[in-house]
Amino acid sequence: MSEIAGIDPSAAPSGTGCVECEEVHGWWFHLRRCAQCGHIGCCDSSPAQHATAHWRATGHPLVQSFEPGEDWYWNYATNALFQSGPELTPPTEHPPTQPAPAPPERVPPDWTSRLHP
C-alpha cells in the first residue's frame, strides 16, 4: 500500500475497458481506474457512469485517469483534483489504439447526444 490512504500502487487494472460496460455490451467515453483496487470504470460523461457507481458501492474514493497521457487523480469524496500522485502498477492507460468513445463497434451514431455534461 502507498502512504496515501485509498491508494494501492500494486493493484493491477481490471482490464482495458469499463468492467460493467463490457459485461452488458455497452460503450464508454473515457475511463477511470480505482486507485485502491484497480477497477476500470467509465467516466461521468459516459452514459452509465460506472466509475462513480464503483465509488458509491465500495467507498473507494480515489481514481486516476486511464486515458493515454493523463496521470491526474480525482477524489469523489471531496471533489478534489490532484495533478499527480503515486505511480500505479502498469498499464496506466488503455491501449493508445483504443479510441474514445469505445469500443467502436458498440458506439451508437448519436453518441454525442448521449453524453452527460
Side-chain angles (χ1 to χ4, degrees):
M1 290 288 275
S2 81
E3 294 180 21
I4 301 172
I7 297 179
D8 181 355
S10 68
S14 60
T16 60
C18 176
V19 173
E20 292 82 5
C21 286
E22 290 286 15
E23 289 173 356
V24 299
H25 302 290
W27 61 277
W28 56 85
F29 185 45
H30 290 135
L31 298 171
R32 307 294 177 242
R33 175 184 178 174
C34 176
Q36 190 162 343
C37 72
H39 174 272
I40 302 296
C42 55
C43 72
D44 284 351
S45 294
S46 299
Q49 303 175 328
H50 287 124
T52 296
H54 176 75
W55 163 57
R56 289 185 178 132
T58 64
H60 300 169
L62 296 166
V63 293
Q64 185 179 46
S65 175
F66 202 59
E67 295 299 312
E70 297 181 356
D71 61 0
W72 53 262
Y73 283 81
W74 178 258
N75 185 326
Y76 285 110
T78 63
N79 289 323
L81 174 69
F82 302 94
Q83 294 299 324
S84 64
E87 189 171 323
L88 302 179
T89 296
T92 57
E93 58 189 36
H94 65 74
T97 56
Q98 180 177 302
E105 67 277 6
R106 297 196 305 239
V107 177
D110 65 341
W111 69 270
T112 56
S113 67
R114 298 176 186 226
L115 295 178
H116 295 274

